[in-house]
Amino acid sequence: MMRRYIITDADIFQVFQRWSSPDLKNQKMHTSFIREALCRQHPDKAILQYDVRHKMKSMATRGLVTEVRLAPNATAWMITQGDSNGQN
């Protein structure tokens, strides 16, 4: 049985760095795409969409990312600050 992976701020910043252009500030990524990228980084871990959304909401509360509502059931996220030295 796979154990659920605890997602860190650094993991999220790595996803944005790896899968977007060098200018982190203006990149938007959907929750599902962030989850897919995390699954590629940690293929031996179970990463749920719920966990990714919860982590992104937590980071938004702390001002690290911005939630962008594209539609009632579609959310994208943007890096608020260009700092990629995320701590958990």
Side-chain angles (χ1 to χ4, degrees), residues 2-15 18-19 34-48 52:
M2 281 191 174
R3 299 185 67 198
R4 284 168 62 185
Y5 179 70
I6 297 173
I7 303 164
T8 64
D9 292 358
D11 287 329
I12 299 299
F13 285 118
Q14 276 183 331
V15 165
R18 181 158 186 189
W19 300 101
I34 294 170
R35 179 188 171 270
E36 185 178 332
L38 287 169
C39 287
R40 289 181 183 203
Q41 280 182 319
H42 306 285
D44 57 330
K45 305 290 185 200
I47 299 173
L48 304 177
V52 174

Side-chain angles (χ1 to χ4, degrees), residues 2-69:
M2 281 191 174
R3 299 185 67 198
R4 284 168 62 185
Y5 179 70
I6 297 173
I7 303 164
T8 64
D9 292 358
D11 287 329
I12 299 299
F13 285 118
Q14 276 183 331
V15 165
F16 273 89
Q17 281 183 329
R18 181 158 186 189
W19 300 101
S20 62
S21 75
D23 181 19
L24 291 178
K25 271 182 123 18
N26 299 319
Q27 292 298 312
K28 294 182 187 87
M29 292 180 75
H30 289 269
T31 309
S32 58
F33 190 71
I34 294 170
R35 179 188 171 270
E36 185 178 332
L38 287 169
C39 287
R40 289 181 183 203
Q41 280 182 319
H42 306 285
D44 57 330
K45 305 290 185 200
I47 299 173
L48 304 177
Q49 182 95 353
Y50 171 84
D51 293 338
V52 174
R53 182 163 173 70
H54 189 269
K55 179 63 178 180
M56 298 309 291
K57 284 275 193 190
S58 165
M59 289 177 73
T61 301
R62 292 181 284 136
L64 299 174
V65 297
T66 302
E67 182 176 6
V68 181
R69 299 298 292 188

